[in-house]
């Protein structure tokens, strides 16, 4: 019983002190990450030394210390990337990690050394530094299409070949059968076909009339010559 009582007393004695819970801090690679930590300062007599270290807080001091202060200024610093930007005289001892890296992830200990036996204020903070997400969405390519029949589509790439008035009707029909680049082009081709279909018969009729007229003149000339011989 005496041994158990001594063990319990020793445990209470060594675990006494204002230990506070820690927090999770998240940041991105290349950015500044601030790990919060502070203590109460009611007067100049409350200003005290403190340290930051990697890994959980040990029984005393800081394990793998990265920065020390005497309460008013930084006295030791492991790297220039570790800074205390808060007002030390008001108890703001938050740690700022400049240009954070993935290797900075882990547990950080903030220990404020308060005078007295086992009165130190300690807190453990887990820092998680990740790479920033980069969007990898591929650009969309849009293709203009028109519907030629229910359930089927065809690309809207058209060519138009214009024919001269002297072209034959078969050539014009072959040219007109191709797709058009616009409605106006299709109308032009259709009108050209109609004009050609109307002009071809009229040209044939004019040629027949010319042949008939020449024949009629020849007959009259022959009759006139015969009449001269008879007279």
């Amino acid at each position: 019983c005496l041994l158990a009582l001594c063990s319990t007393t020793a445990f209470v004695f060594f675990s006494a002190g204002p230990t506070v819970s820690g927090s999770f801090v998240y940041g991105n690679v290349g950015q500044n990450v601030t790990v919060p930590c502070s203590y109460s300062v009611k007067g100049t007599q409350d200003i005290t030394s403190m340290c930051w270290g990697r890994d959980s807080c040990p029984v005393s001091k800081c394990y793998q210390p990265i920065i020390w202060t005497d309460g008013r200024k930084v006295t030791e610093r492991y790297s220039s990337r570790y800074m205390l930007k808060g007002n030390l005289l008001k108890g703001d001892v938050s740690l700022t990690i400049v240009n954070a890296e993935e290797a900075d992830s882990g547990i950080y200990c903030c220990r404020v050394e308060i005078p007295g036996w086992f009165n130190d204020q300690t807190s453990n903070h887990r820092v998680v530094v990740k790479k920033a997400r980069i969007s990898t969405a591929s650009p969309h390519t849009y293709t203009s299409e028109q519907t030629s029949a229910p359930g089927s589509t065809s690309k809207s790439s058209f060519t138009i070949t214009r024919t001269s008035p002297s072209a034959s009707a078969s050539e014009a029909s072959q040219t007109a059968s191709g797709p058009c680049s616009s409605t106006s082009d299709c109308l032009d081709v259709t009108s050209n076909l109609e004009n050609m279909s109307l002009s071809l018969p009229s040209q044939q009729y004019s040629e027949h009339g010319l042949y008939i007229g020449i024949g009629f003149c020849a007959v009259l000339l022959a009759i006139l010559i015969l009449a001269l011989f008879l007279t």
Side-chain angles (χ1 to χ4, degrees):
C1 293
L2 182 60
L3 181 59
L5 180 60
C6 293
S7 300
T8 304
T9 304
F11 176 78
V12 173
F13 179 77
F14 284 106
S15 62
T19 301
V20 297
S21 59
S23 62
F24 281 83
V25 179
Y26 298 91
N28 294 326
V29 173
Q31 297 181 353
N32 295 349
V33 178
T34 300
V35 187
C37 187
S38 62
Y39 66 98
S40 177
V41 176
K42 297 179 181 180
T44 56
Q45 69 279 0
D46 296 327
I47 298 174
T48 183
S49 59
M50 62 83 55
C51 65
W52 278 95
R54 298 295 298 263
D55 210 342
S56 300
C57 296
V59 177
S60 63
K61 306 299 181 182
C62 288
Y63 181 72
Q64 294 183 1
I66 58 177
I67 198 165
W68 274 95
T69 74
D70 61 1
R72 290 174 171 78
K73 64 181 182 300
V74 175
T75 57
E76 296 181 21
R77 184 165 49 185
Y78 176 77
S79 171
S80 59
R81 294 176 53 242
Y82 300 121
M83 302 179 66
L84 300 182
K85 295 185 177 182
N87 190 338
L88 301 181
L89 301 180
K90 291 185 178 182
D92 185 0
V93 291
S94 300
L95 174 68
T96 298
I97 304 174
V98 179
N99 193 18
E101 303 172 355
E102 286 186 285
D104 293 323
S105 299
I107 298 177
Y108 288 76
C109 166
C110 174
R111 176 181 290 274
V112 179
E113 297 183 323
I114 299 176
W117 286 90
F118 303 101
N119 288 334
D120 291 352
Q121 174 184 306
T122 60
S123 58
N124 297 314
H125 307 265
R126 181 174 293 276
V127 177
V128 180
V129 181
K130 296 182 178 180
K131 291 183 179 179
R133 294 182 179 180
I134 301 176
S135 176
T136 58
S138 58
H140 296 282
T141 302
Y142 298 95
T143 303
S144 177
E145 297 182 352
Q146 68 175 10
T147 302
S148 57
S152 63
T153 57
S154 59
K155 291 184 178 180
S156 60
S157 57
F158 301 98
T159 56
I160 181 68
T161 304
R162 298 184 181 273
T163 57
S164 61
S166 61
S168 63
S170 60
E171 292 177 351
S173 62
Q174 293 177 358
T175 304
S177 62
C180 305
S181 60
S182 64
T183 305
S184 60
D185 291 334
C186 291
L187 294 175
D188 292 341
V189 173
T190 304
S191 61
N192 288 336
L193 287 175
E194 294 176 354
N195 293 334
M196 290 183 66
S197 63
L198 294 175
S199 62
L200 288 177
S202 61
Q203 291 178 0
Q204 293 177 358
Y205 293 146
S206 62
E207 290 177 358
H208 288 300
L210 178 62
Y211 294 151
I212 293 173
I214 293 174
F216 183 73
C217 291
V219 171
L220 292 178
L221 182 61
I223 294 173
L224 179 61
I225 294 173
L226 181 61
L228 291 174
F229 278 113
L230 290 176
T231 58

